[in-house]
Amino acid sequence: MARLSIIALGLLYGLSNILGVVADTTTLTDPAIDGTIDLGFPSVNITAILAEAENELGVNGTITDNLPDDGYGAPGTTITARDIEKLQELRKRTFGNSKGIFGAIACLSLKIIFPTKTATPGSSNYNSWNNPSFWSATTYMTPTCVFRPTSVDDVSLAMQLIFISQSDFNVVGGGHSAIKGWANTEDGVLIILSGLTGVKVKSGYAEVSAGERWGNVFTVLDQHKLMALGGRMSPVGVPGLVLGGGISYLTNQHGFVADQVKNFQVVLANGWVVNANAVANADLFRALKGGSSNFGIVTRIDLHTWPCPKGVYSGQLYFSDTRDYPKMFDAVYKYHTVGALTDVQSHLISAFVYVQIPGLGGMHMGAFTAFRTISDSETNPGPGPALQEIVDLNPTVKSSSTLKVRPYGSQAIELGSGDVRGLRQDMRDFSVYADKQLYIDLFQIWNSTMTVKHGAKTGFMGTIAFQPITTKAIAAGGLRGGNSLGLEGNTKTMAIINLTHQWLDPTHDKEILASLDEVMTKSIALAKARGLHHRYYYLNYAHKDSNPICGYGRASVDRLKKVSRFYDPCGVFQSRVPGGFKIPEPSSCPI
Ligand SMILES: Cc1cc2nc3c(=O)[nH]c(=O)nc-3n(C[C@H](O)[C@H](O)[C@H](O)COP(=O)(O)OP(=O)(O)OC[C@H]3O[C@@H](n4cnc5c(N)ncnc54)[C@H](O)[C@@H]3O)c2cc1C
C-alpha cells in the first residue's frame, strides 16, 4: 500500500510537471482517497509484466526500453513530461511500422495479471462478453482483447498499464450507443464494465456502479420507495446516458440526469482514482455532466434520490388511427410550451412510429408514454391537468392503455421489455424551438423520406420523437452548479427531435442511411429558414457527424478543453480512444 501511494504521488508529480505547477498547489485533490490507490495487487511491477509480454511476443524492449531508467512500477517511480513525450514519439514511430503491437502487448500484459478477466478472440469469454455487450449489430468489432474488471482497482491498474503500453482502448457501459466504434475498438483493449455492479442506497443518494443498467437501479430504489433520475428504458446503461446528459421521467422538475449526480468516481488516464463533486475536482465534475468519455473511465456514479412513497401514475398509449394525428400534434405542442412547465411532476414521451409487422404489413402508430409522480398529499392520483388532454385524445386508446399507479421503476421496465438487441440500428437528432407547424412539417419530411421509401423492408421500424427541454429543466441544472450542455441562455422551450430506425438486412444500410441524411438536411434547413433551429444536438442520440460538443457553444467547449488538458495532459482520451465525440477546437464552435 505504501509503495502504491508513492506511485500515485509520483504520477501526481509527473502530472504537475506537465502542468507547470507543483504538487502542493494543484487542485487535483481527493479527500476520500488521500492520494493513495489501493490496487489490491501489491506485488505488481508493471515494467516486469510488460517485459514478460514483450518476450512472449518476440518484441523485447519495444516499450520497456523506453521507460524511465528507474523502471515504471518500481518503488519511488515518477514519470515526467519527458518520459511521456518519449513514449508518445515511440508510439508514432512504431505505429507506422507495426500497427497493433501496443495493443498486443497491453492485452498479453492484462492476461498475465488478470487471466480470468481478459479474453482474446476465439475464447468463449470473448464471444460471450464482446458482441453481447452491444445493443446494435452495427457496432460489432473485434478488439485485440476484452477486459472485464470487477472493481475500481482492476480498472485503475489496467488503465496504468494501458497508459504506459501506448495501446488504443475503449470502454463500454450498457452498449446502447448505435455508432460503430463509439464504445468499441478494432485494435487494442475493450474495457467492458458489466462486471462493475452494485446499487447502494445511502442517505439522500445512491451509489451506482458503472456496469449497472437502469432497470436494476430502479428495482433497488423501489424497494426503498425512492426515485432518482435515470433512463426511461430499463436495459439502457447507466454511464453513457449520464455522461451525455440524460433525459429522465423527472427531467421537467430536476433537469438532466447528470444534473442530479452527487459524485463521480473516475479513473484518470494514468490510473489515478479521483472523486469529482461540488467540492473536490469541481471543474471535472461539471465537465462530466455532458462531456462524455473525454476525461476518464467513470467507475461509480452517486445519484441524488427523492422519496416516492406513493409511486407514480403512468402508462403507454398507442394511437393507431392517423386521423388523430392533427389533434395529437396540437396536444404535444401545448404540453411542450405549457404543461411541461406548469406541472413539472409530469413527463410525456411522444413518438410517432412506423412499423413493419410480419403478415400485416406496415402501420403508423403514435406511441406515447404519460407519466406523473404522485405527491404525498394526493388522494386520487391521475395524469394531472397537463397530461389530461393527451390521455383524452381518443377514448379507445385511453381504455386500452397501461395507465395505472405503479412503483417508479416499473414504467422503465415496461418500456424496456420491448427492447431488442442485435438488430441494425441508427439514432440521430437535432434541436428546434417548440413550434406546432414545424413539428407537423418535420413529421411529413420524415414520413415521405423514410416510411414511404423504406417501410416495406424486412424488420423496418422508424420513429420520430419530440422531446421538450424547458427553461425550468435547464434552471434545475443551474441550481446544482450547471453542466456542460450550454443551454443556460434558452428563454423558451426547445425540442430535441430524435430519429431512431432499425432494420434487419445489412445490405439495406446504405440506402436507409442515405435517406436519413436527407431527412436531417431537409429538416435542419427548414428549421433554419423559419428561425427555429437550435445549435444543440443531444449527444446520446447524435449522429457521428453532428459534432454535439460543438453544439454546447464556445464557452462550454473552452471549459471542457481546459479540464481535459489538466486531468488528461497527455491527451490519452483524445487520441487513444478511437471513437466517441471528442472535444473540438473552441474557435470552430458557435458562440
Ligand atoms: C432503447 C434506448 C432507449 C434510450 N432511452 C434513453 C432515455 O430515456 N434517456 C436518454 O437520455 N437516453 C436514452 N437513450 C440513449 C442513451 O442515453 C445512449 O445510448 C447512451 O449511450 C447509453 O449509455 P450506455 O452506457 O448504454 O452507452 P455505451 O454505448 O456503453 O457508451 C456510450 C459512450 O459512453 C462511453 N462510456 C460508457 N461508459 C463509460 C464510462 N464508465 N466512463 C467513460 N465513458 C464511458 C462509451 O465509450 C461511449 O462513447 C436510449 C437509447 C436506447 C438505444
Side-chain angles (χ1 to χ4, degrees):
M1 176 69 163
R3 188 179 68 77
L4 291 163
S5 304
I6 292 164
I7 293 173
L9 292 171
L11 288 169
L12 173 59
Y13 177 68
L15 195 61
S16 308
N17 264 357
I18 297 158
L19 296 162
V21 293
V22 292
D24 286 354
T25 58
T26 176
T27 58
L28 189 64
T29 57
D30 188 346
I33 292 181
D34 284 336
T36 62
I37 312 173
D38 184 1
L39 290 175
F41 294 92
S43 58
V44 172
N45 180 323
I46 290 178
T47 308
I49 302 283
L50 288 169
E52 194 181 331
E54 288 171 342
N55 190 39
E56 264 193 58
L57 291 165
V59 291
N60 294 48
T62 303
I63 302 287
T64 47
D65 281 359
N66 293 277
L67 289 177
D69 290 342
D70 55 353
Y72 181 77
T77 299
T78 59
I79 183 158
T80 65
R82 178 66 201 126
D83 297 331
I84 289 165
E85 270 170 32
K86 255 173 86 179
L87 284 167
Q88 284 176 333
E89 282 159 18
L90 164 76
R91 177 179 157 85
K92 275 188 215 143
R93 274 202 317 272
T94 313
F95 233 66
N97 303 331
S98 166
K99 189 167 170 2
I101 194 63
F102 297 118
I105 295 171
C107 282
L108 196 48
S109 303
L110 284 170
K111 187 92 187 153
I112 293 165
I113 306 174
F114 302 103
T116 60
K117 298 177 185 177
T118 310
T120 44
S123 66
S124 59
N125 276 348
Y126 188 92
N127 294 337
S128 61
W129 292 343
N130 185 21
N131 285 354
S133 295
F134 297 94
W135 176 63
S136 171
T138 54
T139 60
Y140 296 163
M141 295 171 97
T142 46
T144 314
C145 66
V146 294
F147 171 60
R148 190 169 175 274
T150 54
S151 69
V152 60
D153 297 342
D154 290 357
V155 179
S156 169
L157 179 53
M159 203 53 234
Q160 286 190 43
L161 201 143
I162 291 168
F163 176 62
I164 295 301
S165 74
Q166 301 297 301
S167 172
D168 276 1
F169 67 102
N170 210 340
V171 52
V172 57
H176 272 70
S177 165
I179 307 176
K180 185 169 188 167
W182 254 225
N184 206 343
T185 179
E186 199 57 47
D187 283 305
V189 184
L190 173 64
I191 302 173
I192 295 177
L193 296 178
S194 59
L196 291 185
T197 53
V199 181
K200 286 190 195 145
V201 173
K202 304 279 180 175
S203 174
Y205 68 99
E207 292 178 353
V208 180
S209 295
E212 287 290 349
R213 293 168 191 274
W214 292 107
N216 190 45
V217 176
F218 297 149
T219 301
V220 173
L221 292 181
D222 278 341
Q223 287 159 8
H224 297 262
K225 294 201 179 302
L226 292 170
M227 58 187 178
L229 273 75
R232 293 164 297 180
M233 284 176 73
S234 51
V236 176
V238 169
L241 183 139
V242 175
L243 293 170
I247 300 165
S248 154
Y249 291 116
L250 308 179
T251 284
N252 287 334
Q253 186 164 13
H254 296 297
F256 286 85
V257 181
D259 290 324
Q260 299 304 338
V261 171
K262 183 180 161 65
N263 178 63
F264 291 99
Q265 182 190 63
V266 193
V267 177
L268 299 179
N270 59 7
W272 209 40
V273 184
V274 298
N275 283 317
N277 51 54
V279 178
N281 305 310
D283 49 356
L284 177 61
F285 181 50
R286 183 170 185 187
L288 287 166
K289 300 186 207 177
S292 195
S293 58
N294 282 299
F295 308 99
I297 300 179
V298 171
T299 43
R300 201 190 73 219
I301 299 173
D302 302 345
L303 294 167
H304 288 288
T305 56
W306 288 266
C308 185
K310 293 189 166 175
V312 300
Y313 181 85
S314 75
Q316 287 165 257
L317 299 141
Y318 292 109
F319 302 88
S320 56
D321 189 340
T322 47
R323 285 172 303 183
D324 287 335
Y325 277 28
K327 282 188 294 179
M328 286 159 69
F329 276 111
D330 198 40
V332 166
Y333 170 71
K334 270 194 217 147
Y335 180 75
H336 285 189
T337 49
V338 183
L341 288 146
T342 53
D343 185 2
V344 291
Q345 285 172 246
S346 69
H347 185 83
L348 175 70
I349 301 178
S350 47
F352 294 82
V353 183
Y354 185 88
V355 60
Q356 184 60 232
I357 302 173
L360 289 176
M363 68 180 281
H364 277 284
M365 193 168 55
F368 284 20
T369 305
F371 174 101
R372 189 169 188 279
T373 55
I374 304 169
S375 20
D376 251 2
S377 55
E378 273 180 71
T379 48
N380 189 18
L387 289 172
Q388 195 66 54
E389 185 178 345
I390 304 274
V391 170
D392 290 344
L393 277 171
N394 181 324
T396 320
V397 170
K398 184 178 176 179
S399 63
S400 63
S401 77
T402 64
L403 280 168
K404 61 180 179 188
V405 174
R406 52 169 90 207
Y408 173 62
S410 118
Q411 183 59 59
I413 290 166
E414 181 180 320
L415 266 193
S417 62
D419 189 36
V420 183
R421 296 173 86 84
L423 295 171
R424 307 197 71 74
Q425 306 274 2
D426 181 90
M427 240 192 210
R428 52 185 83 195
D429 74 321
F430 57 95
S431 298
V432 300
Y433 289 103
D435 183 274
K436 185 172 75 172
Q437 190 55 47
L438 183 64
Y439 289 0
I440 293 168
D441 295 339
L442 294 175
F443 171 84
Q444 294 301 357
I445 291 175
W446 168 78
N447 187 34
S448 60
T449 318
M450 296 312 300
T451 71
V452 173
K453 285 190 195 157
H454 304 292
K457 293 192 164 73
T458 319
F460 179 88
M461 184 160 92
T463 304
I464 181 167
F466 298 79
Q467 170 67 58
I469 302 295
T470 66
T471 48
K472 275 195 180 168
I474 294 164
L479 292 176
R480 293 285 195 192
N483 53 40
S484 297
L485 308 177
L487 298 174
E488 300 84 1
N490 277 16
T491 52
K492 51 187 175 176
T493 301
M494 62 178 260
I496 296 166
I497 314 298
N498 171 215
L499 307 168
T500 307
H501 290 76
Q502 68 182 43
W503 62 98
L504 266 180
D505 186 345
T507 64
H508 292 147
D509 287 11
K510 205 172 162 195
E511 43 180 329
I512 291 179
L513 295 175
S515 292
L516 280 164
D517 289 346
E518 191 184 326
V519 175
M520 289 286 281
T521 308
K522 282 186 180 165
S523 302
I524 291 171
L526 181 70
K528 280 186 175 165
R530 293 189 189 167
L532 294 168
H533 180 250
H534 193 293
R535 62 170 152 74
Y536 181 73
Y537 292 87
Y538 176 43
L539 183 143
N540 283 337
Y541 298 154
H543 182 256
K544 67 177 167 45
D545 298 331
S546 291
N547 203 354
I549 294 184
C550 228
Y552 295 174
R554 200 174 293 175
S556 177
V557 179
D558 205 35
R559 268 198 315 270
L560 293 173
K561 202 81 182 170
K562 285 188 182 121
V563 172
S564 160
R565 284 197 192 112
F566 186 85
Y567 291 90
D568 180 15
C570 300
V572 169
F573 282 88
Q574 299 307 299
S575 62
R576 283 170 49 196
V577 176
F581 293 110
K582 306 297 179 205
I583 306 170
E585 267 315 308
S587 58
S588 67
C589 301
I591 292 174

